[in-house]
Every structure is written in structure tokens, then in C-alpha cells.
Amino acid sequence: MSDRFGMKPDEMMRMLSEFRMPAMPDMSGLAEAQRRNLEALSNANRVALEGAQAVARRHMEILQASMAEMTDAIRMMSGTESPQARAAKQAELLKSAYERAVANMKEVADLIQNSNSEALGVLNKRFTEAMDEVKTLVAKQGG
């Protein structure tokens, strides 16, 4: 007599007897690994936030310096110099303002890149540790 799946009872019993439940993993080890994962994620977020704050501070410093330079430039341009001398001064001010802007952009980009690299480094380190932990857990279960 077979069931509706076409299996005889003795075949089903043989299959059930051969079925092996996987060994229970080390739950405390898994919980500890998860805690370390969350800690690494938290550290990476902290590093990223500190980096964003440093970028914001530097942006503010750059803006304040730019406003002071612009005020000085307007004051210098309101002199009684000839039009040619004023044009030469304007060209020099524009050139130095452009050079500072490029340097400031590079500095801010470097700040962002360093912050991102540090945060990613925290995550990569933890990922490597987690993979080692998985290998250890699997080896414990197999042996």
C-alpha cells in the first residue's frame, strides 16, 4: 500500500531514519559574533559621522575665509587707482581666489575620502573576522 505521493510506508520510514538533523550551532558564539558585527557597524557609522562633521566644519571655515577675502577685495578695489591698475588687481584677485577654491575643493575631497576609507576599513576588518569565526564554527560542528 502506498500513500498519495507514491511511497510505501517502509520506504518513508527508511527515509526518515536516514534523515539527519544538522547539529545545533553554538548559539552563544553566534550571539557574540552578531554583537561584534553590530559594534563594528556602529563604529563605522561613528567614523563616517565624525568625517561628515569635519567636512562641515571645514566648509564653514572656508566660507568664513572667503567672505573675509571678498570684503578685503572690495575694500581694495574702491581705491583711486587708474582703471588699468584696478583691472590688473582684479585679475590677480580672481586668479588667487580660483587657486584657493581648487585647493579647498581638493582638501574637502581628501577629507571625505579619508573618512570613507576609515569607515570601510572598520567594516572590512570585521568582515574578515566574521569569516574566520564562521570557519571555526563549521569546523567545530564537523569535528
Side-chain angles (χ1 to χ4, degrees):
M1 171 178 197
S2 62
D3 67 2
R4 62 183 175 151
F5 298 110
M7 295 184 78
K8 295 181 181 171
D10 59 333
E11 289 175 18
M12 189 175 294
M13 291 306 290
R14 184 182 50 78
M15 281 182 56
L16 288 173
S17 68
E18 291 174 359
F19 181 72
R20 301 213 195 301
M21 289 292 289
M24 284 300 289
D26 176 8
M27 294 308 279
S28 65
L30 286 175
E32 184 61 23
Q34 186 62 20
R35 185 196 60 75
R36 286 190 297 271
N37 291 343
L38 291 173
E39 186 177 283
L41 186 58
S42 176
N43 287 340
N45 283 333
R46 180 189 46 77
V47 166
L49 178 62
E50 289 171 358
Q53 289 171 337
V55 168
R57 273 192 306 275
R58 187 60 187 129
H59 267 295
M60 185 57 69
E61 292 167 0
I62 290 168
L63 181 61
Q64 289 171 344
S66 296
M67 294 302 288
E69 290 166 7
M70 188 170 59
T71 301
D72 290 344
I74 290 172
R75 193 174 303 125
M76 285 175 32
M77 296 309 296
S78 63
T80 57
E81 300 170 329
S82 69
Q84 293 84 2
R86 211 176 296 157
K89 212 180 254 188
Q90 281 179 340
E92 184 58 36
L93 287 172
L94 284 173
K95 180 182 177 205
S96 67
Y98 173 77
E99 290 169 351
R100 271 191 309 280
V102 169
N104 289 337
M105 285 174 38
K106 183 182 179 335
E107 180 185 355
V108 168
D110 288 345
L111 281 172
I112 292 169
Q113 183 177 5
N114 291 341
S115 174
N116 288 344
S117 293
E118 188 178 346
L120 192 57
V122 168
L123 294 177
N124 283 338
K125 181 178 183 278
R126 179 60 200 140
F127 180 77
T128 301
E129 291 170 352
M131 290 300 100
D132 291 343
E133 291 166 1
V134 167
K135 288 177 190 174
T136 301
L137 286 172
V138 168
K140 280 183 185 177
Q141 284 183 347

